């Protein structure tokens, strides 16, 4: 089992919490990367602007070279990375970008500065929309801008990234895919980003390069300096600076065990996760974007345990039609082969806003009209989404069935009202009760839902526990507020008690209970999760092989004992210690 670090003992200013975006442990010296803004033309000498037609020709020639480069890159490596470069080719040819470059050239500036200016304006436009999706598109545009400027003979910041000294921890606000593909891969042992997300393209590339990455670590990390010694903990999403000797030794041990463990885990990732007592635990994948689908094959995931559908509804002015949704779900389903697909009904609200559905801003969106609350106010949205899923369920077999997951349930009535709406949809009864190709489940992420789970467990086919929100709501600690991030741990005994209650409700009703929160991706918590009674696990793609491997080592009797002890603890630290002791 992997050793666990008791990071509660590390002083606050040395420990930065972020999100795990690529697993592993990197130990080395920080190199702080400060890229030149995309349109910072003052830092490089402007080239004399020639005739606008000549400058335009220069731009077109550079664009052709970039296009060839991206086409080449999209043909090598993994499919996930190939898709990134295809997206970049689309941006390269997008008329918004080329028209802006043309206009800037026509105003009398050279092609290099025109490209910087046009991409810089677009990047700012997307960033100002303060939406996670647009933020990552901004990074893509900056990336394409860098490639064009490079081909036009300008200087790009990525030059600072190669060569780098041995054992470098790269620290930056964010990195573009261009930065990541140009960095000195042989010498970077870890990446820590103040911003970005685990599904951003940089994270995907880091995972495919095997470089541990922590993102969303907060602007405070930008106060750190080049040359400082640190540890990137890509398992738990942490950056440590100047750790004490004992902590460092533990991390060195973790790193070497992890390397052995990872190689072994990957070689067996297509085998089922079976405990020595013969308990079979399906390990599925959480899917937020197309890139995540590729983990199903490469990492041996047994279907999709959580498809977040918000992306389909965001960045548009009206909801997708039933047929648009059906096409999207069919596409996702085609990746699952002989496994099931769990689709969460739209969970809009909280940190996932959709302007056309929420005309007025809420003071406390996480406590507002979110998930099922919103859908029950817009029943046609719920019906349309369910119609697409039921249509899909009519053409699949029970092994690769469709599971509808209802988010943000806090009242029993909400389950009843949702089921009543579903029952009216043609095909629903047939698929759910005759063909066995459709299931309905409740996402347990509000304490009241865990406390009342026994009331609705008999009416649904499965429960799934969303520990990200369950911890947030149980501990009254905003999950996106880094000032209270340490409070909202799913390993708090209060949260564990709610998990145990939910498992008990599932057991009594004879239905499986899954977990799909981030904590489930930590290999070292598997004995505790199984001991609490969880039957299915759904995690981020890169975690699948390690989680499966960890499950294969769980002695169920010992796990139940561990869970009983944990439930009697009064503090999260004691639970961390328990896991450390069995590690
Ligand atoms: C959760 O809350 O644990 C969960 C899986 O859903 P999300 O993170 O999308 O809110
Ligand atoms: Mg949630």
């Amino acid at each position: 089992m992997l050793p666990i670090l008791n990071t509660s003992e590390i002083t606050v200013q040395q420990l930065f919490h972020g999100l795990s975006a690529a697993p592993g442990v990197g130990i080395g010296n920080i190199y702080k990367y400060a890229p030149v803004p995309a349109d910072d033309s003052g830092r490089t000498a402007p080239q004399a602007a020639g005739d606008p037609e000549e400058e335009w020709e220069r731009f077109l020639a550079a664009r052709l070279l970039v296009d060839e480069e991206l086409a080449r890159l999209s043909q090598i490596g993994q499919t996930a990375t190939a898709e990134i470069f295809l997206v970049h080719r689309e941006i390269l040819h997008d008329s918004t970008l080329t028209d802006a470059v043309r206009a800037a050239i026509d105003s009398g500036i050279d092609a290099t500065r025109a490209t910087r200016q046009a991409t810089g304006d677009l990047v700012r436009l997307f960033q100002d929309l303060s939406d996670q999706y647009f933020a990552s598109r901004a990074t893509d545009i900056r990336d394409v801008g860098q490639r064009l400027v490079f081909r036009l003979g300008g200087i790009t910041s990525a030059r600072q990234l190669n060569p780098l000294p041995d054992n470098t921890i790269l620290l930056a606000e964010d990195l573009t895919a261009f930065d990541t593909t140009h960095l000195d891969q042989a010498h970077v042992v870890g990446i820590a980003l103040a911003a970005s997300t685990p599904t951003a393209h940089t994270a995907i590339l880091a995972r495919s390069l095997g470089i541990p990455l922590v993102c969303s670590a907060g602007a405070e990390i930008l106060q750190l300096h080049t040359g400082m010694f640190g540890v990137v903990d890509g398992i738990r999403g942490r950056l440590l600076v100047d750790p004490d000797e004992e902590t460092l030794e533990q991390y060195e041990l973790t790193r070497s065990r992890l390397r052995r463990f990872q190689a072994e885990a990957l070689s067996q990732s297509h085998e089922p996760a079976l405990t020595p007592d013969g308990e079979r635990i399906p390990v599925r994948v959480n899917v937020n974007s197309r890139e995540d689908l590729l983990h199903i094959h490469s990492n041996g995931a047994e279907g999709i345990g959580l498809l977040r559908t918000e992306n389909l509804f965001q960045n548009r002015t009206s909801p997708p039609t039933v047929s648009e949704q059906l096409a999207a779900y069919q596409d996702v389903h085609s990746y699952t082969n002989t496994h099931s697909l769990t689709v969460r009904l739209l969970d809009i609200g909280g940190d996932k806003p959709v302007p056309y559905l929420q005309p007025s801003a809420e003071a406390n969106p996480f406590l507002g009209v979110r998930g099922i609350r919103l859908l029950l106010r817009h029943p046609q949205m719920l019906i349309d989404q369910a119609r697409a899923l039921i249509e899909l369920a009519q053409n699949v077999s029970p092994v690769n069935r469709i599971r509808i997951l209802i988010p943000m349930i806090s009242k029993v009535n909400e389950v009843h009202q949702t089921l009543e709406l579903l029952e009216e949809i043609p095909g629903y009864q047939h698929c759910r009760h005759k063909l066995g190709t459709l299931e309905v489940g409740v996402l347990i992420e509000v304490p009241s839902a865990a406390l009342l789970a026994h009331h609705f467990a008999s009416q649904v086919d499965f429960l799934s526990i969303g520990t990200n929100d369950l911890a947030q709501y149980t501990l009254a600690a905003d999950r996106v507020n880094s000032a209270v991030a340490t409070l909202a741990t799913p390993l708090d005994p209060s949260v564990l008690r709610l998990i145990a209650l939910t498992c008990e409700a599932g057991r009594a009703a004879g239905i499986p209970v899954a977990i799909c929160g981030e904590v489930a991706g930590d290999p070292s918590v598997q004995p505790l999760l199984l001991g609490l009674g969880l039957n299915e696990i759904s995690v981020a793609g890169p975690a699948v092989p390690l989680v499966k491997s960890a499950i294969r080592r769980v002695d169920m009797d010992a796990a139940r004992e561990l869970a009983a002890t944990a439930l009697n603890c009064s503090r999260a630290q004691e639970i961390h210690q328990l896991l450390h002791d069995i590690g």
Side-chain angles (χ1 to χ4, degrees), residues 308 344 347 352 370 443 445 466 468-470 479:
R308 293 180 167 102
R344 180 173 70 186
D347 183 21
K352 309 164 196 151
R370 184 187 164 185
L443 188 53
E445 45 189 354
N468 306 339
D469 276 314
L470 189 60
R479 62 189 272 189

PDB file of all heavy atoms in Angstrom, residues 308 344 347 352 370 443 445 466 468-470 479, ligand 2:
ATOM      1  N   ARG A 308     -20.355  14.202 -16.534  1.00  0.00           N
ATOM      2  CA  ARG A 308     -20.864  15.539 -16.211  1.00  0.00           C
ATOM      3  C   ARG A 308     -21.359  16.149 -17.518  1.00  0.00           C
ATOM      4  O   ARG A 308     -20.593  16.210 -18.488  1.00  0.00           O
ATOM      5  CB  ARG A 308     -19.756  16.391 -15.588  1.00  0.00           C
ATOM      6  CG  ARG A 308     -19.304  15.901 -14.209  1.00  0.00           C
ATOM      7  CD  ARG A 308     -18.212  16.793 -13.649  1.00  0.00           C
ATOM      8  NE  ARG A 308     -17.953  16.564 -12.241  1.00  0.00           N
ATOM      9  CZ  ARG A 308     -16.928  15.874 -11.760  1.00  0.00           C
ATOM     10  NH1 ARG A 308     -16.065  15.320 -12.590  1.00  0.00           N
ATOM     11  NH2 ARG A 308     -16.763  15.733 -10.456  1.00  0.00           N
ATOM     12  N   ARG A 344     -25.071  12.070 -15.482  1.00  0.00           N
ATOM     13  CA  ARG A 344     -25.693  12.929 -14.474  1.00  0.00           C
ATOM     14  C   ARG A 344     -26.565  13.960 -15.177  1.00  0.00           C
ATOM     15  O   ARG A 344     -26.121  14.614 -16.141  1.00  0.00           O
ATOM     16  CB  ARG A 344     -24.615  13.637 -13.656  1.00  0.00           C
ATOM     17  CG  ARG A 344     -25.214  14.541 -12.586  1.00  0.00           C
ATOM     18  CD  ARG A 344     -24.158  15.101 -11.679  1.00  0.00           C
ATOM     19  NE  ARG A 344     -23.320  16.067 -12.371  1.00  0.00           N
ATOM     20  CZ  ARG A 344     -22.241  16.623 -11.826  1.00  0.00           C
ATOM     21  NH1 ARG A 344     -21.858  16.278 -10.612  1.00  0.00           N
ATOM     22  NH2 ARG A 344     -21.521  17.495 -12.487  1.00  0.00           N
ATOM     23  N   ASP A 347     -26.294  19.574 -13.899  1.00  0.00           N
ATOM     24  CA  ASP A 347     -26.056  20.082 -12.540  1.00  0.00           C
ATOM     25  C   ASP A 347     -25.602  21.536 -12.631  1.00  0.00           C
ATOM     26  O   ASP A 347     -24.484  21.882 -12.272  1.00  0.00           O
ATOM     27  CB  ASP A 347     -24.990  19.219 -11.844  1.00  0.00           C
ATOM     28  CG  ASP A 347     -24.744  19.658 -10.408  1.00  0.00           C
ATOM     29  OD1 ASP A 347     -25.612  20.330  -9.820  1.00  0.00           O
ATOM     30  OD2 ASP A 347     -23.670  19.326  -9.869  1.00  0.00           O
ATOM     31  N   LYS A 352     -20.960  26.323 -11.670  1.00  0.00           N
ATOM     32  CA  LYS A 352     -21.165  25.968 -13.079  1.00  0.00           C
ATOM     33  C   LYS A 352     -22.382  26.727 -13.620  1.00  0.00           C
ATOM     34  O   LYS A 352     -23.446  26.154 -13.784  1.00  0.00           O
ATOM     35  CB  LYS A 352     -21.415  24.462 -13.224  1.00  0.00           C
ATOM     36  CG  LYS A 352     -20.396  23.585 -12.545  1.00  0.00           C
ATOM     37  CD  LYS A 352     -20.954  22.174 -12.423  1.00  0.00           C
ATOM     38  CE  LYS A 352     -20.189  21.354 -11.428  1.00  0.00           C
ATOM     39  NZ  LYS A 352     -20.990  20.340 -10.785  1.00  0.00           N
ATOM     40  N   ARG A 370     -29.733  25.069  -7.735  1.00  0.00           N
ATOM     41  CA  ARG A 370     -28.691  24.270  -8.356  1.00  0.00           C
ATOM     42  C   ARG A 370     -29.207  22.860  -8.646  1.00  0.00           C
ATOM     43  O   ARG A 370     -30.071  22.353  -7.920  1.00  0.00           O
ATOM     44  CB  ARG A 370     -27.506  24.223  -7.381  1.00  0.00           C
ATOM     45  CG  ARG A 370     -26.333  23.507  -7.921  1.00  0.00           C
ATOM     46  CD  ARG A 370     -25.215  23.297  -6.943  1.00  0.00           C
ATOM     47  NE  ARG A 370     -24.361  22.266  -7.524  1.00  0.00           N
ATOM     48  CZ  ARG A 370     -23.333  21.727  -6.933  1.00  0.00           C
ATOM     49  NH1 ARG A 370     -22.988  22.105  -5.737  1.00  0.00           N
ATOM     50  NH2 ARG A 370     -22.630  20.781  -7.533  1.00  0.00           N
ATOM     51  N   LEU A 443     -27.670  11.050  -6.639  1.00  0.00           N
ATOM     52  CA  LEU A 443     -26.340  11.490  -6.219  1.00  0.00           C
ATOM     53  C   LEU A 443     -26.461  12.042  -4.800  1.00  0.00           C
ATOM     54  O   LEU A 443     -27.233  12.971  -4.549  1.00  0.00           O
ATOM     55  CB  LEU A 443     -25.837  12.564  -7.189  1.00  0.00           C
ATOM     56  CG  LEU A 443     -24.407  13.048  -7.055  1.00  0.00           C
ATOM     57  CD1 LEU A 443     -23.402  11.912  -7.076  1.00  0.00           C
ATOM     58  CD2 LEU A 443     -24.054  14.023  -8.180  1.00  0.00           C
ATOM     59  N   GLU A 445     -25.008  14.119  -2.196  1.00  0.00           N
ATOM     60  CA  GLU A 445     -23.980  15.154  -2.008  1.00  0.00           C
ATOM     61  C   GLU A 445     -24.433  16.246  -1.046  1.00  0.00           C
ATOM     62  O   GLU A 445     -23.737  17.236  -0.840  1.00  0.00           O
ATOM     63  CB  GLU A 445     -23.536  15.738  -3.354  1.00  0.00           C
ATOM     64  CG  GLU A 445     -24.664  16.073  -4.299  1.00  0.00           C
ATOM     65  CD  GLU A 445     -24.209  16.457  -5.696  1.00  0.00           C
ATOM     66  OE1 GLU A 445     -23.008  16.575  -5.946  1.00  0.00           O
ATOM     67  OE2 GLU A 445     -25.093  16.642  -6.546  1.00  0.00           O
ATOM     68  N   GLY A 466     -21.272  11.840  -3.972  1.00  0.00           N
ATOM     69  CA  GLY A 466     -20.400  12.909  -4.492  1.00  0.00           C
ATOM     70  C   GLY A 466     -19.740  13.586  -3.309  1.00  0.00           C
ATOM     71  O   GLY A 466     -20.283  14.523  -2.721  1.00  0.00           O
ATOM     72  N   ASN A 468     -17.214  15.522  -3.091  1.00  0.00           N
ATOM     73  CA  ASN A 468     -16.738  16.908  -3.212  1.00  0.00           C
ATOM     74  C   ASN A 468     -17.770  17.845  -2.598  1.00  0.00           C
ATOM     75  O   ASN A 468     -17.445  18.727  -1.803  1.00  0.00           O
ATOM     76  CB  ASN A 468     -16.535  17.309  -4.680  1.00  0.00           C
ATOM     77  CG  ASN A 468     -15.642  16.349  -5.433  1.00  0.00           C
ATOM     78  OD1 ASN A 468     -14.865  15.626  -4.831  1.00  0.00           O
ATOM     79  ND2 ASN A 468     -15.761  16.331  -6.742  1.00  0.00           N
ATOM     80  N   ASP A 469     -19.008  17.645  -2.973  1.00  0.00           N
ATOM     81  CA  ASP A 469     -20.067  18.493  -2.417  1.00  0.00           C
ATOM     82  C   ASP A 469     -20.480  18.039  -1.022  1.00  0.00           C
ATOM     83  O   ASP A 469     -20.800  18.866  -0.177  1.00  0.00           O
ATOM     84  CB  ASP A 469     -21.293  18.495  -3.344  1.00  0.00           C
ATOM     85  CG  ASP A 469     -21.130  19.520  -4.447  1.00  0.00           C
ATOM     86  OD1 ASP A 469     -20.737  20.655  -4.135  1.00  0.00           O
ATOM     87  OD2 ASP A 469     -21.386  19.182  -5.618  1.00  0.00           O
ATOM     88  N   LEU A 470     -20.479  16.730  -0.796  1.00  0.00           N
ATOM     89  CA  LEU A 470     -20.907  16.258   0.532  1.00  0.00           C
ATOM     90  C   LEU A 470     -20.006  16.867   1.618  1.00  0.00           C
ATOM     91  O   LEU A 470     -20.484  17.309   2.664  1.00  0.00           O
ATOM     92  CB  LEU A 470     -20.886  14.730   0.589  1.00  0.00           C
ATOM     93  CG  LEU A 470     -21.522  14.121   1.837  1.00  0.00           C
ATOM     94  CD1 LEU A 470     -22.987  14.504   1.978  1.00  0.00           C
ATOM     95  CD2 LEU A 470     -21.397  12.589   1.826  1.00  0.00           C
ATOM     96  N   ARG A 479     -16.242  24.921  -1.488  1.00  0.00           N
ATOM     97  CA  ARG A 479     -15.216  24.092  -2.127  1.00  0.00           C
ATOM     98  C   ARG A 479     -14.297  24.869  -3.052  1.00  0.00           C
ATOM     99  O   ARG A 479     -13.248  24.359  -3.450  1.00  0.00           O
ATOM    100  CB  ARG A 479     -15.863  22.910  -2.877  1.00  0.00           C
ATOM    101  CG  ARG A 479     -16.773  23.313  -3.992  1.00  0.00           C
ATOM    102  CD  ARG A 479     -17.551  22.136  -4.538  1.00  0.00           C
ATOM    103  NE  ARG A 479     -16.866  21.434  -5.596  1.00  0.00           N
ATOM    104  CZ  ARG A 479     -17.417  20.479  -6.336  1.00  0.00           C
ATOM    105  NH1 ARG A 479     -18.659  20.086  -6.087  1.00  0.00           N
ATOM    106  NH2 ARG A 479     -16.751  19.897  -7.283  1.00  0.00           N
TER     107      ARG A 479
HETATM  108 MG1  LIG B   2     -21.359  17.567  -6.873  1.00  0.00          MG
END
